[in-house]
Each structure stands twice: as C-alpha cells, then as structure tokens.
Amino acid sequence: MEFSLDRDESQVADEHVTADVTDRDGAVVVSVRGKVLYDTLAPLADVLSDLTQRPELHLVLELSDVPMCDSSGLNLFVRTRSRLAETGGWLRLTGTRPLVDDVLHITNLDRILTRYATVEEALAAG
C-alpha cells in the first residue's frame, strides 16, 4: 500500500481562503470563507494588511463559513487586532463555529478577540 503526505498543488489553489469586503454602518465587514490555515490564508492576510493601513478602522470578521483555524490564522487575527488598536480602531469576530471557538478558548485568545453571534450585534456594540 502506498501512502504519501505530499499534496497535489493543483488542489491547494482551490483551498485558499476567500474574503469579501463590504462597508457597513461605519465599519468594514470581511466575510471569510474556507479553512484559515498556514498554507491557505495568504489572500485573507493580504486583504487584512491593506485594511489595517486605514486609521481608526472598525473591522468585523464574519467567520460563519470558516470551519477551522490553525495557529497561523490566530496569529493573523491577533496581529490585525493589534494594528487596528494602535490607530484607534477595533476588530470583532462574528459567527465563529465550534472548532474555531474551541481553539480561541484553549489558547485564551477569546479574552482579547471579542466574539459576537452576528455582524449586527458586533456593530451595535459600539
């Protein structure tokens, strides 16, 4: 029996995270789709890097279509939060699924990465 951990690179492109950006009620909402992992998160990292150049940005990451997130994704979220806080902005997460919630809780990042059930709740929190 043959077994390989090598990945078919043609499939990796299909696994990259997508991010749709919309302005809403004085904030920017980024709707994320896909597994936020080391080898898939580049498109999301690019979007967030561009957005964090704006001063006092209020950013909501809508994660209901993100089934899992590894330490690279968590690191990206924390870096984004820090950059936004430096310029008077904030980051809020919404729609996190159980596996993402568990990772945030286990790492104690749920203490600094504020989560809300919906985008509406995140925006209403002020």
Side-chain angles (χ1 to χ4, degrees):
M1 169 188 271
E2 278 188 50
F3 180 78
S4 174
L5 293 176
D6 291 336
R7 294 175 58 151
D8 178 355
E9 290 301 316
S10 65
Q11 292 178 351
V12 173
D14 294 337
E15 296 177 8
H16 282 277
V17 170
T18 62
D20 295 321
V21 179
T22 56
D23 290 318
R24 185 163 165 196
D25 299 329
V28 172
V29 178
V30 178
S31 299
V32 183
R33 275 184 222 88
K35 296 176 183 176
V36 181
L37 306 172
Y38 170 77
D39 58 349
T40 65
L41 64 74
L44 177 60
D46 291 343
V47 167
L48 295 179
S49 178
D50 289 343
L51 289 172
T52 57
Q53 304 305 310
R54 299 184 194 178
E56 299 181 27
L57 178 69
H58 298 159
L59 179 62
V60 176
L61 287 181
E62 204 293 309
L63 303 174
S64 62
D65 289 326
V66 174
M68 65 174 40
C69 178
D70 70 6
S71 61
S72 300
L74 296 178
N75 187 5
L76 176 62
F77 297 161
V78 170
R79 284 191 333 260
T80 300
R81 179 196 173 275
S82 296
R83 286 185 194 140
L84 293 172
E86 288 172 1
T87 63
W90 49 252
L91 171 68
R92 295 177 180 159
L93 309 180
T94 66
T96 54
R97 293 172 60 180
L99 190 55
V100 175
D101 282 333
D102 290 346
V103 171
L104 288 167
H105 180 71
I106 289 168
T107 58
N108 283 323
L109 290 175
D110 56 349
R111 295 179 186 203
I112 64 167
L113 294 171
T114 310
R115 293 174 292 155
Y116 296 86
T118 65
V119 170
E120 292 76 18
E121 287 179 22
L123 296 172

